Amino acid sequence: MAIRVAVDAMGGDHAPNEIVEGAVRALKSSEGRIHIQLCGPKKIIQSILDTYGPLSGIEILHAPQVIGMGDSPVAAVRSKRKSSIHVGLTHHKESYSDAFISAGNTGAIGAASLFVLGRLAGVFRPSIPTLFPTTDGLCTILDVGSNMDSRPEHLLQFAKMGSAYARIIMDIAQPRIGLLSVGEEPAKGNELVRSTHELLVNALELNFIGNIEGRDIFHKKADVVVCDGFVGNVILKLAESLMTALPEMIHQELQELKPDNATLDLIKTMLSGLARRFDPEHNGGGSPLLGVEGEVLIMHGSATAGAVEQCIILAAQIAKANLTSEIQRALVP
Amino acid sequence: MAIRVAVDAMGGDHAPNEIVEGAVRALKSSEGRIHIQLCGPKKIIQSILDTYGPLSGIEILHAPQVIGMGDSPVAAVRSKRKSSIHVGLTHHKESYSDAFISAGNTGAIGAASLFVLGRLAGVFRPSIPTLFPTTDGLCTILDVGSNMDSRPEHLLQFAKMGSAYARIIMDIAQPRIGLLSVGEEPAKGNELVRSTHELLVNALELNFIGNIEGRDIFHKKADVVVCDGFVGNVILKLAESLMTALPEMIHQELQELKPDNATLDLIKTMLSGLARRFDPEHNGGGSPLLGVEGEVLIMHGSATAGAVEQCIILAAQIAKANLTSEIQRALVP
């Protein structure tokens, strides 16, 4: 049976057109393995869908209300029960969908997920991981922004949830967990990291390899990098900006070298391959909200059709592998 | 009169040979504007110097003791008064040197600087800045590792000291100060950053441009990026690792493109230019210890002759501009 992915057609800077476009692409590339449920005002979505001609495997879940970037997340969750986010999550809750994805207001998606789906038993705080480029494929970093001012027990849970996520998504039996610090020695780092180190050493079910440093991330010393959401968000955005900074720096280097046109073309191709590595669109398209009672994935507000397509495929993979049950097992062994 | 720079000839992984080599290079390139004082055991240093033939403008400050990486920094400061670090700092204290540089144990240099030179009036904690590559030259980031678990008033001082440093080193009258956070809004970020934002808004003598994000650093949205030492150290090391990660990633991209030899040579040249941007050796060679009563610069433990040469030149520039007085003025206006 096809995996049913509910898609918030109204969330994000390029909604609804790019979202629908991405959904149609995912539908086609999945060849019947994914069933799409577009959440949004029926008339609007239908008129866009009509431009693609007849399609099977895609339906509309009518949601007349829209949560804007200006809306207070918590207030919107309570007052806008007919929003695309609410309708999608409710369908997931009632098992009419296997996963829900959105490029809308992250705060609103998080609040609505907790409100509609609830928190997994024992979870202190849900966490958002990201897939990050290295010289040897992707690694997972978490948290990347949902948690400021974390406590050691939060980071321990991030490690457990990240390990479960990496097992599924990277297909590794025992992902190597690294704690991000400023030196390998357990005594190095800030108070949070020093206390977390101790907790991780005692979490015998984890493949904890110790502290890692900023320099180890790109060289994939760990499969899962654990840090608080402030640090994770800073390095994620720093790395993403390489997508635009590197071409500019390389262009500057080439000023004096004056390559001919054929060489320039080759370098451009090389550069776009390099930039793609740092483009979130090519690293899963979105990230799961770990720790809620369901499979919810959050995309960048700027998500384009390519990111939406990738995120739908990732959502289907996560739903099929039953990530939430895996996380529940990891947290309460 | 020549600026006198005392150089710890015994500190770092490649001491004393690379240190002496770098000192000789700086001596030659400065054409009489810099006078070098090598600190270390006279016999050892002299025998290395002899290999360069006769030189003027360089002398040896005899220091028979060595502080190793294994020594406790604080204990070594008290017990090894004849170490190269102690002798160099004492000469600076007594105005026989205008600056002191070392690639030795950072903790020992910091402790010895506080012990011998003392803290500038009103300084909570000395801070280490770094010069960081952007698409538009270098920016200054601080703190990058001497302070874990900072308080808002510490970050405010980092901003003031960083502003004074950038004024001198980057020759900008009113450096733009950015506070590193996870969003532009003052309410974004962790507790530390939110409280620091308020302090910076009220520091009217600073050109505070507000919060900046990880993505803004490489694009030089700010001249001075303020963060705590944990975050600064992580991003500094992450960026430095691009020096090795980028060539590997580019090599992977080229596998399919199969460039001819001439193109490959051009790409190699381009690549080494790119890698140089992320090499600390080319970004000043070392960093001042801001907030102590004197001009002390700290190099990487792995500093080579090139870094030593750069750092001596930077030290002379800082000493000539009287950075410490500038910082004192910035802190107590």
Side-chain angles (χ1 to χ4, degrees):
Chain A
M1 208 179 106
I3 304 278
R4 299 157 305 175
V5 179
V7 178
D8 174 8
M10 304 310 288
D13 307 339
H14 306 298
N17 287 311
E18 286 279 322
I19 309 290
V20 174
E21 162 82 20
V24 171
R25 282 199 213 168
L27 181 73
K28 289 180 175 170
S29 66
S30 77
E31 295 174 340
R33 291 187 304 275
I34 298 178
H35 175 88
I36 310 269
Q37 301 165 317
L38 291 169
C39 311
K42 194 172 172 91
K43 265 194 180 168
I44 296 174
I45 311 297
Q46 189 61 56
S47 72
I48 303 172
L49 270 184
D50 286 344
T51 64
Y52 292 95
L55 292 165
S56 72
I58 195 162
E59 64 177 308
I60 298 169
L61 306 181
H62 181 53
Q65 290 179 318
V66 173
I67 297 179
M69 293 308 276
D71 281 323
S72 149
V74 177
V77 165
R78 297 185 179 274
S79 64
K80 295 190 170 176
R81 303 287 176 96
K82 294 278 172 205
S83 73
S84 50
I85 292 177
H86 206 104
V87 166
L89 287 169
T90 305
H91 272 76
H92 182 29
K93 168 82 176 173
E94 292 168 356
S95 297
Y96 293 114
S97 309
D98 300 307
F100 171 71
I101 75 167
S102 176
N105 182 318
T106 303
I109 303 167
S113 297
L114 286 173
F115 184 72
V116 176
L117 303 172
R119 202 177 292 232
L120 274 177
V123 166
F124 296 118
R125 294 179 179 186
S127 167
I128 300 177
T130 195
L131 296 173
F132 193 89
T134 79
T135 52
D136 185 22
L138 298 169
C139 73
T140 296
I141 302 185
L142 81 173
D143 184 71
V144 295
S146 58
N147 294 285
M148 305 290 119
D149 298 306
S150 303
R151 293 200 304 267
E153 56 270 31
H154 301 160
L155 264 64
L156 174 64
Q157 284 199 340
F158 298 166
K160 291 178 178 178
M161 297 196 289
S163 184
Y165 179 52
R167 262 202 308 277
I168 287 176
I169 228 61
M170 299 158 82
D171 200 19
I172 310 171
Q174 285 288 328
R176 295 165 302 165
I177 312 290
L179 177 64
L180 190 58
S181 187
V182 301
E184 287 184 8
E185 306 85 342
K188 284 278 178 83
N190 55 21
E191 246 183 81
L192 171 65
V193 163
R194 291 199 306 273
S195 303
T196 304
H197 187 100
E198 216 176 302
L199 294 182
L200 285 170
V201 165
N202 291 319
L204 300 178
E205 71 278 23
L206 293 175
N207 181 14
F208 178 51
I209 60 165
N211 288 356
I212 64 164
E213 299 184 62
R215 68 166 64 94
D216 301 319
I217 302 176
F218 279 129
H219 291 291
K220 205 174 184 176
K221 198 161 162 186
D223 301 307
V224 177
V225 177
V226 176
C227 58
D228 76 65
F230 185 86
V231 175
N233 187 276
V234 165
I235 62 181
L236 172 63
K237 287 179 179 163
L238 184 75
E240 280 178 14
S241 73
L242 281 169
M243 199 172 62
T244 44
L246 278 180
E248 207 173 323
M249 289 180 178
I250 286 176
H251 179 77
Q252 290 163 358
E253 292 296 332
L254 291 176
Q255 292 296 305
E256 281 182 27
L257 296 173
K258 301 191 198 311
D260 60 33
N261 284 339
T263 306
L264 206 57
D265 283 346
L266 184 137
I267 290 175
K268 275 184 189 159
T269 310
M270 182 272 284
L271 245 178
S272 57
L274 194 63
R276 197 164 44 233
R277 293 169 182 245
F278 295 97
D279 183 352
E281 182 160 322
H282 293 272
N283 298 332
S287 297
L289 184 61
L290 304 176
V292 298
E293 187 78 74
E295 317 298 359
V296 176
L297 286 90
I298 298 176
M299 293 178 279
H300 261 243
S302 63
T304 54
V308 175
E309 178 185 2
Q310 291 302 312
C311 189
I312 290 172
I313 293 167
L314 181 64
Q317 186 186 354
I318 284 173
K320 199 174 169 190
N322 224 326
L323 174 60
T324 298
S325 310
E326 289 296 316
I327 286 177
Q328 185 68 83
R329 243 194 305 279
L331 291 177
V332 191
Chain B
M1 208 180 105
I3 305 279
R4 300 156 303 173
V5 179
V7 177
D8 174 7
M10 304 311 285
D13 307 339
H14 306 297
N17 287 312
E18 287 278 324
I19 309 289
V20 174
E21 162 80 21
V24 171
R25 282 199 214 169
L27 181 72
K28 288 180 176 169
S29 65
S30 77
E31 295 175 338
R33 290 186 304 274
I34 298 177
H35 175 88
I36 309 270
Q37 301 163 318
L38 290 169
C39 310
K42 193 171 173 90
K43 265 195 181 169
I44 296 175
I45 310 297
Q46 189 61 56
S47 73
I48 303 171
L49 270 184
D50 286 344
T51 64
Y52 292 93
L55 290 165
S56 72
I58 196 161
E59 65 178 308
I60 297 170
L61 306 181
H62 181 53
Q65 292 180 317
V66 173
I67 298 179
M69 293 307 276
D71 281 323
S72 150
V74 178
V77 166
R78 296 183 180 277
S79 64
K80 295 189 170 177
R81 304 287 178 98
K82 294 277 174 208
S83 72
S84 50
I85 292 178
H86 207 104
V87 166
L89 286 170
T90 305
H91 272 76
H92 182 28
K93 168 84 177 170
E94 293 168 354
S95 298
Y96 294 114
S97 309
D98 299 306
F100 172 72
I101 77 167
S102 175
N105 184 318
T106 303
I109 303 166
S113 297
L114 286 173
F115 185 73
V116 176
L117 302 173
R119 200 178 293 231
L120 274 178
V123 166
F124 296 118
R125 296 178 178 187
S127 168
I128 301 177
T130 193
L131 296 173
F132 194 88
T134 79
T135 53
D136 185 23
L138 299 168
C139 73
T140 296
I141 300 184
L142 82 170
D143 181 73
V144 295
S146 56
N147 294 285
M148 305 289 120
D149 298 306
S150 302
R151 293 201 305 268
E153 56 270 30
H154 301 159
L155 264 63
L156 173 64
Q157 282 199 342
F158 298 166
K160 290 178 178 178
M161 296 195 290
S163 184
Y165 180 52
R167 260 201 310 276
I168 288 175
I169 228 60
M170 301 158 80
D171 199 19
I172 311 172
Q174 284 288 327
R176 293 164 303 164
I177 312 291
L179 176 63
L180 190 57
S181 186
V182 302
E184 287 184 7
E185 306 84 343
K188 284 277 177 81
N190 54 21
E191 244 182 81
L192 171 65
V193 164
R194 289 198 307 272
S195 302
T196 304
H197 187 100
E198 216 175 302
L199 294 181
L200 285 170
V201 165
N202 292 318
L204 299 179
E205 71 277 24
L206 292 175
N207 180 14
F208 177 51
I209 61 164
N211 288 355
I212 65 164
E213 299 184 62
R215 68 167 64 95
D216 301 321
I217 302 175
F218 280 130
H219 291 291
K220 206 175 186 177
K221 198 160 162 185
D223 301 307
V224 178
V225 178
V226 176
C227 57
D228 75 66
F230 185 87
V231 174
N233 188 277
V234 165
I235 61 180
L236 172 64
K237 287 179 179 162
L238 185 75
E240 279 177 16
S241 73
L242 281 169
M243 200 171 61
T244 45
L246 277 180
E248 208 172 323
M249 290 179 178
I250 287 176
H251 180 77
Q252 290 163 359
E253 292 295 332
L254 291 176
Q255 292 296 304
E256 282 182 25
L257 296 173
K258 301 192 197 311
D260 60 34
N261 284 340
T263 305
L264 206 57
D265 283 347
L266 182 136
I267 290 175
K268 275 184 188 157
T269 309
M270 182 271 286
L271 244 177
S272 58
L274 195 62
R276 195 164 47 231
R277 293 170 183 246
F278 295 97
D279 183 352
E281 182 160 318
H282 293 272
N283 299 332
S287 297
L289 184 62
L290 304 177
V292 299
E293 188 77 74
E295 318 297 357
V296 177
L297 285 88
I298 298 175
M299 292 179 280
H300 262 244
S302 62
T304 54
V308 175
E309 179 186 2
Q310 290 304 312
C311 189
I312 290 172
I313 294 168
L314 181 64
Q317 187 185 355
I318 284 173
K320 200 173 169 192
N322 225 325
L323 175 60
T324 298
S325 310
E326 289 296 315
I327 286 178
Q328 186 68 84
R329 241 194 305 277
L331 292 177
V332 191

